[in-house]
Amino acid sequence: MTADEDGDRPVVIEVEGATKTFVQRRRVTRRGLRRERLDVHAVRDVSFTVRAGEMVGYLGPNGAGKSTTIKMPIGILTPTTGRLRVAGLDPARQRLALARRIGVVFGQRSTLWWDLPLRDSFELVRHLYRVPADRYRANLDRFVDLLDLGPFLATPVRQLSLGQRMRGDLTAAFLHDPAIVYLDEPTIGLDVVSKAAVRSFLAETNREHGTTIMLTTHDTADIEQLCRRVLVIDHGRLGFDGDLATLRDRLGGDRMLIVDLPGPVPPVSVTTPGARVVRVDGPRQWLSFPATASAAPLIAEVAARYPVVDLSIREPAIEDVITRLYTSGPIPTARQPTTPTDHSNASAVGEP
Ligand SMILES: Nc1ncnc2c1ncn2[C@@H]1O[C@H](COP(=O)(O)OP(=O)(O)OP(=O)(O)O)[C@@H](O)[C@H]1O
C-alpha cells in the first residue's frame, strides 16, 4: 500500500492509464472461410485511485467497459497497456496472493457449489482461504444475523431463490475478511426486501470493518444509498470521478420547490429567473428551478406573495441525472466553486 500525499488513508487500488483491447474475429464470407480482425477497445486509458475504506460506485451504460475495468484489478484480465496495483500487489502477476486480500461477487454468476447445502459451501470457502476456526464462526454468526441466512443454511444452493443465493454469495465473498471487495450488480433481479438486506449489509461492513468496496450497478438507488463517490465510464473512457452531488450539479436538471397553499388557486406567479410552475394539484403547486441556483430567492418571493402553509425542496432524481449523462456528450466542467463536501478527486475528463 502507498500513502497518498494529501490523504490520510492509504491508496489500495491504483489504476494508471489502463487500456484493454479485445481482438474479435468476424466472419466476412457466408461460410466463414474469411475472417477479419476487429479490435474492441473496451477500456481506454483509464486512471483512478481508491483509498482504504472507500465505497465507490461504478456506473456506465451496457457495454461501457465496467466489467472489464473491474476484472483487471482482480487479476482475471491483463491490461493491454497501463499499470495496476492492488493492496501493493500486481494483480496479473500475483493473482494468488491477491486472492486472499480481495472478495468478488458477480451478481449474474454464483461462486457457490450448486449441489451442496449453503453451509457446506461456506465450509469449503473456509478451507480454500484457510480461515481460522474462531474467525470463521464469528464471521458466519454475524452474516447469518445480518443477512438472515438461518432458514436456508441447510438448503442446496440450486434450490435457493435468487435473493437467498445472493445473500449466500455475499457471505462467501466476505468470509475471509477481505480488505477489498468488488461487486458487479449485487442487487440485480432482487425484490425490495432482499435489496434492502444486501444494501444494509454492505453499508454496515464498510462502516464497521473499513472494507473497501467497488460496486458496479445499474440500480441508481444502490449508488444513492451506499456510495458517496462515483466513477462513470462510457465507451471505455472514464467520464467522471467525484461525488454524487457534484455529478448532479454538473449535469444540471431541475430542483423542485413544492408549495402548499391554504386552498386551490391558479398557478402562482414568480419572477425568479428560471423558475416556473410545472404542476398544480389542489392546494399544492410544484415549481421547478435550476439545480445550480439557490432556492432562497424563490422561497422568499413565493412566501412574500402567497400565504404559504408548507414547503419542501426535491433534488433532481438520480435516475434523471444518469439518463442525461448517458445520452449527453462529455460531462461539463464545474459551474460553481466546489463545496466542502465535494470529493477532492472530483473531475471530468478533459477538465483543464
Ligand atoms: N472477452 C471479450 N472478448 C471480446 N470482446 C469483449 C470481451 N469482453 C468484453 N468485450 C467487449 O468489450 C466491451 C465492454 O464490455 P464490458 O463487459 O466491460 O461492458 P459493461 O460496461 O460491463 O457492460 P454491461 O453493463 O452490459 O455488463 C463490449 O463491447 C464487449 O462486447
Side-chain angles (χ1 to χ4, degrees):
M1 292 184 196
T2 55
D4 211 84
E5 277 172 21
D6 51 35
D8 48 359
R9 282 192 284 190
V11 168
V12 289
I13 303 174
E14 279 181 272
V15 177
E16 204 182 307
T19 295
K20 182 71 191 176
T21 304
F22 293 107
V23 177
Q24 289 180 0
R25 305 262 165 207
R26 219 173 32 183
R27 282 195 311 184
V28 286
T29 54
R30 266 236 310 271
R31 283 196 188 157
L33 295 176
R34 256 193 66 219
R35 287 171 183 260
E36 72 178 6
R37 178 193 162 113
L38 181 74
D39 288 346
V40 179
H41 303 289
V43 172
R44 305 163 190 242
D45 195 20
V46 164
S47 301
F48 62 88
T49 55
V50 177
R51 289 175 191 282
E54 275 196 275
M55 175 126 67
V56 181
Y58 200 42
L59 293 169
N62 290 129
K66 301 179 298 293
S67 301
T68 306
T69 313
I70 294 285
K71 284 174 186 168
M72 290 191 279
I74 296 170
I76 295 176
L77 288 176
T78 310
T80 310
T81 57
R83 179 181 168 275
L84 284 97
R85 297 297 283 181
V86 178
L89 302 169
D90 177 341
R93 295 194 175 158
Q94 294 167 288
R95 198 171 153 184
L96 264 184
L98 186 64
R100 296 187 192 286
R101 318 285 291 274
I102 65 172
V104 179
V105 175
F106 284 104
Q108 316 255 32
R109 257 164 291 151
S110 181
T111 53
L112 301 167
W113 284 263
W114 216 231
D115 294 317
L116 294 184
L118 193 56
R119 187 190 289 281
D120 293 3
S121 274
F122 297 154
E123 277 292 334
L124 280 174
V125 172
R126 171 167 101 80
H127 285 291
L128 275 177
Y129 287 97
R130 299 197 188 113
V131 185
D134 51 347
R135 192 142 61 91
Y136 172 75
R137 256 192 313 274
N139 280 353
L140 190 57
D141 284 352
R142 192 163 65 85
F143 299 146
V144 167
D145 185 38
L146 280 173
L147 291 166
D148 198 16
L149 303 174
F152 48 90
L153 271 175
T155 308
V157 170
R158 97 177 99 75
Q159 290 174 15
L160 297 179
S161 74
L162 188 60
Q164 292 167 338
R165 203 265 291 151
M166 177 50 68
R167 290 185 234 179
D169 267 306
L170 277 173
T171 301
F174 283 84
L175 262 179
H176 61 294
D177 287 327
I180 304 161
V181 177
Y182 303 89
L183 301 139
D184 195 351
E185 298 281 355
T187 58
I188 195 163
L190 303 192
D191 65 25
V192 282
V193 177
S194 294
K195 276 189 184 182
V198 168
R199 288 176 190 147
S200 66
F201 170 79
L202 294 176
E204 135 111 31
T205 306
N206 171 256
R207 192 176 56 242
E208 302 299 322
H209 297 266
T211 312
T212 307
I213 294 178
M214 272 206 83
L215 172 70
T216 298
T217 181
H218 287 288
D219 189 329
T220 48
D222 287 344
I223 300 288
E224 199 142 36
Q225 291 177 29
L226 293 171
C227 306
R228 205 183 121 216
R229 178 179 169 201
V230 288
L231 304 177
V232 183
I233 192 167
D234 198 7
H235 292 99
R237 291 191 192 279
L238 199 59
F240 179 84
D241 177 358
D243 70 20
L244 202 52
T246 309
L247 183 62
R248 260 201 187 108
D249 173 40
R250 290 196 189 167
L251 288 169
D254 284 342
R255 293 162 89 195
M256 204 68 79
L257 177 67
I258 302 164
V259 182
D260 287 328
L261 299 164
V265 291
V268 300
S269 154
V270 286
T271 57
T272 307
R276 64 196 173 90
V277 176
V278 292
R279 189 177 160 204
V280 177
D281 186 2
R284 176 166 285 192
Q285 303 204 8
W286 284 257
L287 289 90
S288 78
F289 63 103
T292 46
S294 162
L298 179 61
I299 292 174
E301 187 182 7
V302 173
R305 291 190 181 190
Y306 299 90
V308 173
V309 175
D310 196 8
L311 26 90
S312 61
I313 291 174
R314 211 187 64 202
E315 297 298 324
I318 184 67
E319 281 87 352
D320 298 345
V321 174
I322 300 296
T323 306
R324 195 167 297 127
L325 182 68
Y326 294 164
T327 52
S328 65
I331 299 162
T333 52
R335 282 187 250 165
Q336 58 187 35
T338 48
T339 63
T341 54
D342 284 341
H343 192 277
S344 56
N345 279 341
S347 64
V349 165
E351 193 173 331

